[in-house]
Amino acid sequence: MNTSVLIVGAGPVGLALAVELERHGIDSIVLEQLPRGGRQPRAKTTNVRTMAHFRRWGLAEQVRRASPLPDSYPRDIIFATRLFGQELARFQNAFFGDQQLRDERFPEAAQWIPQYKIEAVLREAIATKPRTSLLFGHRLCRLRQDEDGVVATVERDGEEVELRARYLVGADGGRSEVRTQIDARMEGDAAYMRNFLAVYRAPGLSQRVPLSRAISYWLVNPDAPAVTGPMDEDDLWFFSTQLKGDTPAYDLDEARRRIGLAIGADVPFDILETDTWSAHRLLANRYRLKRVFLAGDACHLHPPMGGYGMNMGIGDAVDLGWKLAAVLNGWGGEVLLDSYEAERRAVARLVIEEAAENYSFVTHHMVREAMEGDDPSCAAIRNEIGRSITAGKAREFHAINVVLGLRYESQVIVADGMVAPTWDPMVYLPDARPGGLAPHHWLADGSSLYDHFGTDFTLLALDGAQADEVARLEAAADRLGMPLTVVRLAGDPALRTLYGAEMTLIRPDQHVAWRADCLDHDPAYLVARISGVEPAIPETST
């Protein structure tokens, strides 16, 4: 069996990669060893950047419909002593998920939805696509490469079969077999904190909780510090806590006791599933060996605080997907494939450190003696805890720059010499410096600027763009075979302020490749540079 891209792993990263490839007309096979689904929520936040990708794929509404929470549900995080206890602090519009607001900075609000439902949306989308096959019960045994592709030996029902692909991508998680096969190493801190997770059903709990509704409740108390919250319909809730030091993993009796203490009231519940796992701070020393690539947890692992894990993996899938498609469609070069590691590994390093910083201040760090009494001294302690939470956790729930402000530097980005502002995870200043995300804007007709971008490259031409220069860029792209959509927008001064140039070349992933008021490079060189075939076409004078 042959395919253009063989994807190992049918989690959200592998599925997203298949959807991105399909968008660009590329066939793929997705292999998965184990059944997917179950009740483990894993990721629960699909952030605003990932939701913009779902919008690109035409799947944002499917995600909204699949979420167990209605649009009107508050996207708040509440800190309290117990679920039936006293509130300590509150963060509104956590992760920018308020469905009632329209934000200029992005086209889609974040969505609170368990990962298994995201996977279901992606699987359903793939099921309708003619170029993508999803094969469960297939385990990668080994692989070998030659000049033309990759041969993967796969076990199916006790028998080995060979699959041949032009490229192979390991999206097979933290224990990646693909990573082992290409001898890539994870570097950093492994298993530096153990965690316990339980999924429990508590009929009627959502109606009984005296605190305001929230997507999660961080519970700060001496005997069961934890995080809990609604996960799915029928009062299905999650419970998560850290296991300090050499604390043994909870058995069912101990889990039941801890959940009861965290709730703080006599509420009947049944534990449906438990898991003990370790947090890591790890980054692969490389993302690629020739025709084999890594994506998602296969090449970066970090604590869950901040909700970056699945979202970073889907970002990998988008970056790698359009680049593989460009090469397979004949207009992308080898340098474009090299840029995947250059771009994504650098931003992964930044996000790993951000997640680790969030993980350094969790519920058991917030506990104080005599914090739950009724007398004024106890209330004063709770107020002090609340102030420390407000100061210490805002970065986790409102770090918009970590989501929208990540900037690429690679050979396929044409820098314009503008200096980046000092990094602040809480402050996102949209601008169109090459490498950064193209600024979002709501147009006068109510549509999102992003909706006008093409499937592949887009040239955004504003009022001052010269028609002959636009035509020269179009002709150069056509000669290379690079699909280019020209979007001409006039009469909107906000766009000129946001983009800072009359012409901007925007990549399929909505990042800026080049901008200028006029052609400052030979058009043939420019399109060859951003498509990764630049070494074959030296620049000439304009």
Side-chain angles (χ1 to χ4, degrees):
M1 186 183 299
N2 293 346
T3 187
S4 293
V5 182
L6 182 61
I7 303 166
V8 182
V13 179
L15 297 172
L17 176 57
V19 170
E20 183 70 20
L21 291 168
E22 179 81 38
R23 176 177 169 85
H24 297 281
I26 301 300
D27 61 288
S28 67
I29 295 175
V30 185
L31 304 181
E32 177 56 52
Q33 177 181 355
L34 302 172
R36 301 294 299 188
R39 300 188 183 95
Q40 290 286 352
R42 296 182 177 91
K44 295 181 287 294
T45 301
T46 301
N47 69 24
V48 298
R49 186 74 199 109
T50 302
M51 284 302 300
H53 290 312
F54 276 101
R55 186 182 180 110
R56 287 174 55 242
W57 298 327
L59 298 175
E61 286 307 310
Q62 288 88 322
V63 172
R64 302 275 183 226
R65 290 196 298 269
S67 173
L69 301 181
D71 288 350
S72 60
Y73 193 95
R75 265 56 175 184
D76 297 346
I77 304 284
I78 290 178
F79 286 73
T81 55
R82 301 176 194 266
L83 199 55
F84 283 71
Q86 296 143 314
E87 183 173 323
L88 301 169
R90 180 190 303 229
F91 294 90
Q92 295 181 317
N93 193 21
F95 307 112
F96 307 93
D98 191 328
Q99 307 297 305
Q100 312 304 310
L101 298 177
R102 190 174 86 158
D103 198 303
E104 174 67 13
R105 297 169 295 181
F106 45 81
E108 295 282 344
Q111 186 64 57
W112 185 261
I113 179 173
Q115 179 179 310
Y116 56 81
K117 292 203 168 193
I118 288 291
E119 293 181 19
V121 169
L122 291 169
R123 284 197 302 270
E124 289 170 8
I126 286 172
T128 67
K129 305 299 183 184
R131 301 181 186 90
T132 307
S133 298
L134 178 55
L135 305 179
F136 284 97
H138 288 65
R139 180 179 68 86
L140 176 70
C141 300
R142 55 192 174 274
L143 60 85
R144 68 180 188 272
Q145 302 190 57
D146 56 35
E147 293 182 358
D148 298 320
V150 184
V151 177
T153 301
V154 176
E155 181 187 23
R156 177 190 62 191
D157 297 330
E159 297 182 359
E160 290 188 353
V161 297
E162 287 190 345
L163 303 179
R164 186 171 185 87
R166 295 279 302 280
Y167 296 96
L168 184 147
V169 179
D172 49 342
R175 297 183 178 89
S176 172
E177 177 60 28
V178 176
R179 187 178 66 233
T180 300
Q181 291 285 322
I182 66 170
D183 196 28
R185 301 187 314 276
M186 294 292 256
E187 298 174 340
D189 299 325
Y192 73 98
M193 177 66 81
R194 292 182 306 131
N195 297 259
F196 175 81
L197 173 73
V199 177
Y200 64 100
R201 177 171 283 116
L205 178 58
S206 59
Q207 300 301 316
R208 291 185 56 188
V209 174
L211 299 168
S212 300
R213 292 188 300 173
I215 54 176
S216 70
Y217 300 89
W218 291 55
L219 307 176
V220 183
N221 58 74
D223 44 20
V227 180
T228 194
M231 194 183 86
D232 211 333
E233 290 91 352
D234 299 325
D235 267 315
L236 200 65
W237 289 60
F238 71 91
F239 171 90
S240 179
T241 189
Q242 289 74 45
L243 299 174
K244 295 187 291 182
D246 58 357
T247 302
Y250 298 156
D251 59 20
L252 280 177
D253 289 339
E254 182 62 11
R256 191 180 311 280
R257 188 179 78 86
R258 296 280 180 160
I259 294 172
L261 289 169
I263 292 173
D266 185 14
V267 172
F269 62 88
D270 293 313
I271 296 176
L272 306 182
E273 197 165 331
T274 65
D275 185 31
T276 301
W277 57 277
S278 294
H280 309 279
R281 185 167 53 196
L282 297 170
L283 183 63
N285 66 327
R286 66 164 179 253
Y287 280 25
R288 178 190 185 190
L289 179 63
K290 300 178 182 176
R291 290 177 172 270
V292 178
F293 298 82
L294 301 174
D297 286 356
C299 51
H300 48 76
L301 289 166
H302 50 75
M305 304 310 185
Y308 300 119
M310 180 192 73
N311 296 289
M312 282 296 293
I314 290 177
D316 293 344
V318 171
D319 187 281
L320 180 58
W322 78 261
K323 291 172 179 177
L324 285 171
V327 173
L328 289 164
N329 283 327
W331 58 268
E334 189 67 19
V335 175
L336 193 63
L337 297 182
D338 289 339
S339 74
Y340 167 64
E341 179 176 319
E343 294 180 357
R344 293 303 296 175
R345 191 170 185 272
V347 299
R349 186 184 298 279
L350 185 153
V351 171
I352 287 171
E353 294 308 311
E354 187 69 22
E357 175 67 23
N358 293 335
Y359 202 53
S360 67
F361 187 43
V362 293
T363 50
H364 69 260
H365 297 132
M366 305 167 188
V367 176
R368 301 287 185 274
E369 293 184 6
M371 60 177 290
E372 294 190 87
D374 295 327
D375 59 82
S377 64
C378 297
I381 292 171
R382 290 194 294 275
N383 288 336
E384 179 184 345
I385 295 171
R387 287 191 294 271
S388 71
I389 291 169
T390 300
K393 297 304 284 184
R395 178 169 171 173
E396 178 168 343
F397 307 123
H398 292 145
I400 186 66
N401 208 28
V402 184
V403 178
L404 297 180
L406 298 176
R407 187 172 300 278
Y408 296 149
E409 294 182 7
S410 72
Q411 294 166 282
V412 297
I413 300 293
V414 185
D416 65 359
M418 298 295 291
V419 178
T422 302
W423 173 259
D424 185 336
M426 300 282 287
V427 179
Y428 169 60
L429 300 173
D431 72 79
R433 280 179 297 116
L437 181 66
H440 179 262
H441 183 55
W442 293 107
L443 301 180
D445 62 2
S447 66
S448 165
L449 173 63
Y450 287 0
D451 294 343
H452 297 264
F453 292 170
T455 300
D456 292 284
F457 269 84
T458 297
L459 174 61
L460 179 62
L462 303 183
D463 292 349
Q466 299 300 307
D468 63 324
E469 294 193 331
V470 171
R472 290 172 66 198
L473 272 171
E474 284 186 282
D478 186 64
R479 286 193 296 272
L480 184 66
M482 184 182 83
L484 179 66
T485 298
V486 177
V487 176
R488 293 179 173 87
L489 291 174
D492 191 337
L495 279 175
R496 184 60 174 82
T497 301
L498 279 172
Y499 278 81
E502 300 298 341
M503 294 187 292
T504 305
L505 280 169
I506 300 162
R507 309 185 331 174
D509 58 3
Q510 300 172 343
H511 279 253
V512 174
W514 166 87
R515 69 169 178 177
D517 285 328
C518 59
L519 278 175
D520 54 357
H521 295 278
D522 179 272
Y525 167 83
L526 185 59
V527 298
R529 170 80 179 272
I530 65 177
S531 61
V533 299
E534 176 267 332
I537 306 178
E539 182 173 15
T540 60
S541 63
T542 58

